[in-house]
Amino acid sequence: MTRITRSLPLICASTLLLLGCAPDSQQPTAATPATADALGNTAPSAATLAVQQALREQLPLADQQDFDDASRGLMASVSPLTIPSLRNPDNAVWDRPAYDFIQGEAPGSVNPSLWRQAQLNNINGLFEVTPGVYQLRGFDLSNMTLIRGKSGWIIVDPLTAKETAAAAFQFALHEMAKRGDSEQRISAIVFTHSHIDHFGGVLGIISNEDIQRQAIPVVAPLGFMEEATSENMIAGTAMSRRAVFMYGKNLPRNERGHVDSGLGKGPAFGEFSIVEPNTLVGETDTRLTLDGIDFQFQYTPESEAPAEFTFYLPQLKAFCGGEVVSRNMHNLYTLRGAKVRDALKWSGYIEEMRHLYSSADVYFASHHWPMWGKERIQTFLKQQRDTYKFIHDQTVRLMNKGYTPGDIAEQLHMPDSLSQAFSSRGYYGTLKHNARAVYQAYLGWYDANPAHLDPLPDLERAKGYVALAGGADALMSSARQAMDAGNYRWSAELLNHLVFAQPDNQPARELLAASYDQLGYQAESGPWRDAYLTGALELRHGTPETGINIATMKDMLLLTPVGNFFDTMAVRLKAEEAEGKDWRIRVHFTDMGETHLLWLENSVLHHVKEESQDQQPVNATLNLTHALFVNMLIGEAGVKDTLFSDDLTVDGSRIDLVRFFSLFEKPVTSFPVVLPQAG
C-alpha cells in the first residue's frame, strides 16, 4: 500500500467524516422520507426514485466504451491516494479514498448518469496515452500530462496546487524509473489556459529560479498572465463563497453528499502558484519545437477560458484539446460566477480543430480520459461542436420569438443524436443554465417585462407572498402538497419565500432543506447537486463563519500586478463615509521602484501609477516592500511586524494614513445565501 505524503489544502471537505444513516422517528410520507442521516439529509422519495429509473431506461448506461478508454494504458495507481496539507499536515487535502463508496449500482440518492461519470472519474493513476505521452489522472480536478522530450519531460498543465502537483510528478518519476527511464529533468512547461487548475501547482514541481537558470521554455496563450492573475480579483469574495456551493466544499463524501464535480472529483485548493510564461502563442498554426518535439498550436481565446490554446503533436499523431473539448457538456456560464462564454466562437473553434487535427489518431485533454481512432475522434468533435451550436442557435431562435430565459430553459431539449452521447451530457454545465447564458450574452438580465424592471427586494417580496398565501401555516400546507406530488421545484419556490420572511422558522427551513435534498439527488450535474445539497446543509446547520484562506494564494499574489490590488480596494470603499473626503495617499514599493498615487473624489477611489518625478502633494506616503504589502494583505504580517519593520516607513501624516485606510471594509469570507442578510 502506498501513501503519498506530499501535501495540499483541498477546498473539498475531505476532513469531514462520512456519516451513515440514522432511523427517523417520523412515519414516511413523500414530504418526510423515512430516514435521515446524521447531518439531516433525507432519504430519496418515491418521486425521486421514479426519476432515476426513467433515466436508467433512457440512457445506455451499460455501455463500457468509456470505462475501457478510462482504464486503457494504466501503468500504476496509488492506493490509498491521500495527500496531506502543507499548512496542516494532519489534514488530508486530497482524499481519494473518500470516494471509495462509489461502486456498483447507483443508489436512489444519486442520479445514475452522474454516478456513472463519478465511477469513471474515480479511475486514477499514471497512464500511457501513446508512446511518449503519459497522463496523471485522479490526483486533482484536472490532469497533468507528461511528454517525453529528448532531454527531459515536457509538463502540460501542472494541476491546481503545489502539493498535488508534487505528489503526482514524484509518483510518475518513480514509476518511470522502475521501467528504465530515470530522467527527472523538466525541459519545458505548457499551460493550456488561464484557469488555476491548469497552472497552480507549477512551483510544486520546479522552482522559478531553476526555470530562469536553465532557460526552460514556459509556453502559454497570449493574455495568460493578465487573465490568470486578474480572474476573481475584484469579485473574488463573492465567487469564492459561491464556489462553496458549486463544488460542495462542506458536504460529506457519501451517497447523500458530494459524489463528483462532473469535470473531475473536485478542486484541490492547496498552496497555489504561478510562473510567468516566456513564450506566448497568439495565432493559430503557431509552430514550436520543444525539446525535440514539434508542437502545432490552435489559439482559442474567449472559448472555455479567455486565454486558451490546443495543440497537435504531428510526430505522434496526437492532439491535446485543452479544455475546449471534454467528456461532458461544459459551462457557458459557471455557477460560481464569471463572464459568459461565447457559444458560437466555442463551436467554431471545435470545427476548426476538427480540420487542423484531421490526421490525429489520439485525443487527450486537460480533464477526463483519452480517445483513440480517427473516426471516433471526428465523431466526438462533431458532437462537441454541435452541442454548443445547438444551444446557441435554438436559444437565439426562441429569444427572437419573445421567449424569456426561463421559458427557453424549460422548452429546449437536445436532439437524440446528442442526448445519447455521454460526452454531451450535462455533468458540469447544463442545457438549462447554458441556454440562460446565451440569452444573457445577447440581451442581459432584463427580459423586457416591465414588472421585472424594478422588482421589490427579495425580503419584501417574500413577506408579501407569505401574506398572500394566508400566512406561514397555509404556505407550509401548500408546500407539503407540492412535495407529496413530487413537485420539489414548486415546494422550494414557496418555502424559499417563507424562509426569507421568517428565517427562524425551523420547520420551514427543514422542509425547504428536504426539497433541496430531492432536487440534488435528481440532478445529473455535479455542480447542481452540490448547490442544492449545500443549500440544504446551511438551512439545517447555518452559514459557515469562514471561507477560503487567502494565504494559500501568496505565490500568485506576489506576481499579480499591483494595480489589481488597488482595484479591489476601490470596491471595498465605504462610500457613505468617504463623502466629502479628498485625501491623497502615495504608496511607494521600495524594492520595485514603483509608485502609485491613490486619491478620493466623489466617494470614489482612484489610483494611477506615477511615472513623473514631479509628484503631487499628498497627505502621506507609505514606503514598503512588495513582499510586506502582500504579507499584510494575506494576514501574515501583523501590526507589530508592520509598524516596526525596517521594510516600512511613513512620510507625512500617520493620522491621515490611518483615517484613509479606515474607509475600506475588510473582505468577508462568508455570507448568507439560502438565508436573508441580517439587518
Side-chain angles (χ1 to χ4, degrees):
M1 303 289 278
T2 303
R3 174 181 169 85
I4 292 184
T5 56
R6 296 179 181 264
S7 48
L8 157 175
L10 171 70
I11 193 172
C12 33
S14 53
T15 55
L16 292 177
L17 295 176
L18 299 182
L19 301 173
C21 295
D24 188 32
S25 59
Q26 297 176 337
Q27 293 299 312
T29 70
T32 56
T35 59
D37 65 19
L39 287 179
N41 302 305
T42 55
S45 67
T48 291
L49 295 176
V51 169
Q52 315 296 41
Q53 182 58 35
L55 193 61
R56 287 188 182 93
E57 295 170 2
Q58 173 190 342
L59 294 177
L61 297 177
D63 189 331
Q64 289 297 299
Q65 182 64 64
D66 285 338
F67 289 92
D68 293 343
D69 288 347
S71 301
R72 179 170 169 173
L74 178 63
M75 300 168 63
S77 59
V78 184
S79 181
L81 175 52
T82 306
I83 307 174
S85 163
L86 275 174
R87 288 182 173 267
N88 185 356
D90 292 332
N91 287 346
V93 296
W94 187 253
D95 188 4
R96 170 55 188 76
Y99 297 98
D100 283 347
F101 68 92
I102 302 172
Q103 299 180 34
E105 291 294 316
S109 58
V110 184
N111 180 291
S113 183
L114 177 61
W115 185 261
R116 179 182 185 276
Q117 186 81 347
Q119 290 177 316
L120 287 160
N121 284 330
N122 263 16
I123 300 170
N124 75 90
L126 174 67
F127 299 80
E128 182 182 60
V129 177
T130 193
V133 179
Y134 306 88
Q135 278 197 320
L136 290 145
R137 303 201 293 270
F139 286 79
D140 206 321
L141 179 67
S142 55
N143 302 331
M144 184 195 299
T145 301
L146 280 59
I147 301 171
R148 187 62 163 93
K150 288 186 176 180
S151 65
W153 294 103
I154 302 166
I155 308 297
V156 182
D157 288 355
L159 305 184
T160 308
K162 289 159 57 174
E163 301 88 337
T164 45
F169 188 52
Q170 289 303 313
F171 175 68
L173 293 181
H174 175 74
E175 291 301 323
M176 295 305 296
K178 286 165 58 176
R179 291 160 175 79
D181 189 344
S182 59
E183 182 59 63
Q184 297 193 13
R185 178 177 180 268
I186 294 174
S187 56
I189 299 169
V190 177
F191 300 138
T192 61
H193 59 290
S194 53
H195 290 155
I196 196 170
D197 54 321
H198 302 275
F199 65 80
V202 62
L203 293 184
I205 61 173
I206 192 170
S207 69
N208 199 37
E209 292 74 21
D210 282 344
I211 292 173
Q212 301 296 327
R213 186 177 67 255
Q214 299 176 38
I216 293 173
V218 180
V219 185
L222 183 68
F224 170 84
M225 203 64 186
E226 295 82 356
E227 298 295 344
T229 58
S230 66
E231 185 181 59
N232 301 351
M233 282 291 291
I234 289 179
T237 299
M239 287 185 178
S240 296
R241 177 69 175 111
R242 290 161 62 114
V244 170
F245 278 72
M246 178 174 176
Y247 292 112
K249 172 186 181 292
N250 297 329
L251 295 175
R253 275 54 183 149
N254 64 20
E255 294 178 357
R256 297 185 187 180
H258 172 82
V259 298
D260 201 75
S261 291
L263 203 61
K265 300 317 300 176
F269 280 71
E271 297 292 315
F272 306 124
S273 62
I274 195 170
V275 297
E276 188 164 4
N278 50 41
T279 305
L280 294 174
V281 172
E283 292 184 5
T284 292
D285 208 28
T286 296
R287 297 173 186 249
L288 298 173
T289 300
L290 302 175
D291 194 17
I293 304 297
D294 294 334
F295 283 69
Q296 176 187 353
F297 292 91
Q298 178 199 23
Y299 183 51
T300 61
E302 299 179 68
S303 56
E304 187 271 337
E308 188 155 5
F309 60 46
T310 71
F311 63 82
Y312 181 54
L313 306 172
Q315 293 149 306
L316 304 175
K317 291 191 175 181
F319 82 92
C320 174
E323 206 168 323
V324 180
V325 287
S326 57
R327 297 297 195 106
N328 56 208
M329 181 192 297
H330 214 296
N331 286 308
L332 298 178
Y333 164 81
T334 178
L335 301 186
R336 66 178 169 83
K339 296 176 183 177
V340 169
R341 297 156 185 175
D342 191 322
L344 200 55
K345 282 186 178 179
W346 197 332
S347 176
Y349 287 135
I350 299 173
E351 173 65 3
E352 180 181 61
M353 182 192 305
R354 196 172 68 81
H355 294 286
L356 281 172
Y357 307 150
S358 61
S359 60
D361 291 322
V362 181
Y363 150 82
F364 62 96
S366 301
H367 293 276
H368 302 131
W369 48 95
M371 183 180 293
W372 294 264
K374 288 186 180 69
E375 185 175 345
R376 287 187 62 211
I377 292 169
Q378 285 292 314
T379 298
F380 164 67
L381 292 179
K382 289 177 184 179
Q383 290 168 338
Q384 286 276 288
R385 173 199 68 189
D386 292 343
T387 295
Y388 302 112
K389 197 166 191 304
F390 177 88
I391 297 171
H392 172 272
D393 292 355
Q394 296 308 306
T395 297
V396 173
R397 179 176 73 91
L398 294 174
M399 179 183 81
N400 284 333
K401 293 172 71 174
Y403 289 101
T404 65
D407 295 333
I408 297 169
E410 203 67 22
Q411 287 187 44
L412 276 190
H413 298 281
M414 301 296 283
D416 287 346
S417 58
L418 295 177
S419 67
Q420 292 291 304
F422 288 112
S423 59
S424 292
R425 300 293 300 184
Y427 300 122
Y428 194 51
T430 72
L431 175 60
K432 284 191 171 183
H433 80 250
N434 280 343
R436 291 176 182 270
V438 173
Y439 187 103
Q440 179 183 334
Y442 283 103
L443 298 181
W445 61 269
Y446 179 47
D447 65 3
N449 185 332
H452 302 154
L453 186 58
D454 187 25
L456 288 169
D458 290 346
L459 188 57
E460 293 304 311
R461 283 191 295 126
K463 292 177 179 177
Y465 277 112
V466 172
L468 183 65
D473 290 344
L475 194 149
M476 285 277 283
S477 177
S478 294
R480 287 186 180 278
Q481 291 175 26
M483 293 187 72
D484 288 339
N487 192 350
Y488 303 113
R489 292 166 67 190
W490 181 236
S491 64
E493 173 84 14
L494 294 174
L495 291 163
N496 182 63
H497 288 308
L498 181 52
V499 167
F500 264 66
Q502 300 178 7
D504 293 331
N505 187 327
Q506 289 300 134
R509 287 172 62 162
E510 178 52 47
L511 203 58
L512 178 54
S515 296
Y516 284 158
D517 285 344
Q518 303 307 315
L519 290 169
Y521 298 161
Q522 294 178 22
E524 185 176 36
S525 164
W528 277 40
R529 176 185 175 89
D530 286 341
Y532 283 127
L533 296 184
T534 300
L537 180 75
E538 295 193 5
L539 284 165
R540 291 178 174 121
H541 304 286
T543 301
E545 295 182 1
T546 59
I548 298 169
N549 183 2
I550 192 176
T552 61
M553 301 286 290
K554 181 175 180 178
D555 285 327
M556 285 191 63
L557 296 177
L558 288 169
L559 288 177
T560 299
V562 171
N564 289 0
F565 296 113
F566 297 135
D567 287 337
T568 66
M569 285 183 62
V571 300
R572 291 189 286 110
L573 178 67
K574 293 179 281 188
E576 64 280 4
E577 296 182 19
E579 188 168 358
K581 307 292 192 300
D582 60 357
W583 294 321
R584 305 170 71 84
I585 302 296
R586 180 172 289 117
V587 180
H588 175 62
F589 295 100
T590 55
D591 53 340
M592 300 170 62
E594 188 173 311
T595 302
H596 291 255
L597 176 66
L598 284 65
W599 77 96
L600 297 172
E601 194 170 354
N602 298 317
S603 297
V604 173
L605 175 69
H606 300 274
H607 68 89
V608 64
K609 183 179 178 181
E610 290 189 319
E611 305 288 353
S612 171
Q613 297 298 316
D614 184 20
Q615 296 182 332
Q616 303 177 37
V618 294
N619 296 73
T621 297
L622 180 63
N623 305 287
L624 76 171
T625 63
H626 182 236
L628 180 58
F629 176 68
V630 170
N631 284 340
M632 290 168 60
L633 286 172
I634 64 176
E636 287 191 352
V639 174
K640 182 177 179 180
D641 299 317
T642 303
L643 293 179
F644 296 97
S645 171
D646 293 334
D647 294 328
L648 183 149
T649 62
V650 177
D651 300 326
S653 172
R654 289 177 178 264
I655 293 176
D656 285 351
L657 185 66
V658 170
R659 291 196 299 176
F660 175 80
F661 282 107
S662 72
L663 295 175
F664 300 91
E665 293 178 336
K666 293 181 179 179
V668 299
T669 58
S670 186
F671 50 77
V673 172
V674 293
L675 295 169
Q677 291 276 5

